[in-house]
Amino acid sequence: MTATAMKKAMDTVDSENTMTWQKVCTRADLVAFSGVAAWLETPDGAAQVAIFYLPDQGNELFALDHHDPFSNANVIARGIVGDLKGAAVVASPIYKQHFRLEDGQCLEDEAIKLRTWKIEFKGEEVWIEG
């Protein structure tokens, strides 16, 4: 399942700088312990974001690049969520590199790190700062 926010229907809230909070989906669009993809407008242009929902895990929401730099494909949201060395990770579905959900760091290649975004629930809505 993939949840994608429609660009023309997207809600935004301005902040002090060029970053804005954007509503991308609702809690009902998320799949526990799995990922969904969303469209996000950023100051650098549009980005595809992988959103992961880990209920009852402290920090429940994570947002990082949907683009896998090893396969050059937008597939991270389809990866397998797990735990390595005490950290929540997603394994790329193509070549299986692991990325920490907290900071996007690749565990197999410390030179590679996915972008991450601030993400939170506002009621039943999911908002990302882009």
Side-chain angles (χ1 to χ4, degrees):
M1 172 191 275
T2 302
T4 305
M6 300 299 292
K7 184 176 179 182
K8 63 184 173 186
M10 191 180 313
D11 293 328
T12 62
V13 175
D14 291 327
S15 64
E16 297 112 34
N17 56 26
T18 58
M19 302 290 276
T20 59
W21 281 93
Q22 301 168 45
K23 182 178 93 173
V24 293
C25 63
T26 67
R27 188 184 303 259
D29 296 319
L30 302 176
V31 178
F33 303 101
S34 187
V36 296
W39 183 267
L40 183 67
E41 292 294 333
T42 74
D44 298 325
Q48 291 188 36
V49 177
I51 300 170
F52 296 93
Y53 177 45
L54 283 66
D56 304 321
Q57 300 291 311
N59 187 6
E60 294 185 309
L61 288 174
F62 300 90
L64 54 153
D65 272 331
H66 185 42
H67 186 263
D68 176 3
F70 294 97
S71 66
N72 201 29
N74 291 316
V75 295
I76 294 298
R78 296 182 180 168
I80 297 171
V81 175
D83 180 291
L84 281 179
K85 300 178 184 175
V89 298
V90 60
S92 171
I94 308 244
Y95 296 122
K96 311 302 185 238
Q97 286 85 1
H98 298 91
F99 298 93
R100 276 194 309 249
L101 295 179
E102 184 177 352
D103 62 6
Q105 182 63 55
C106 177
L107 299 182
E108 288 79 18
D109 185 343
E110 60 184 59
I112 304 295
K113 188 174 184 178
L114 300 180
R115 286 183 297 178
T116 60
W117 287 270
K118 291 181 184 177
I119 184 169
E120 64 184 45
F121 284 117
K122 293 185 181 183
E124 291 298 306
E125 299 172 339
V126 177
W127 288 72
I128 298 178
E129 185 179 30

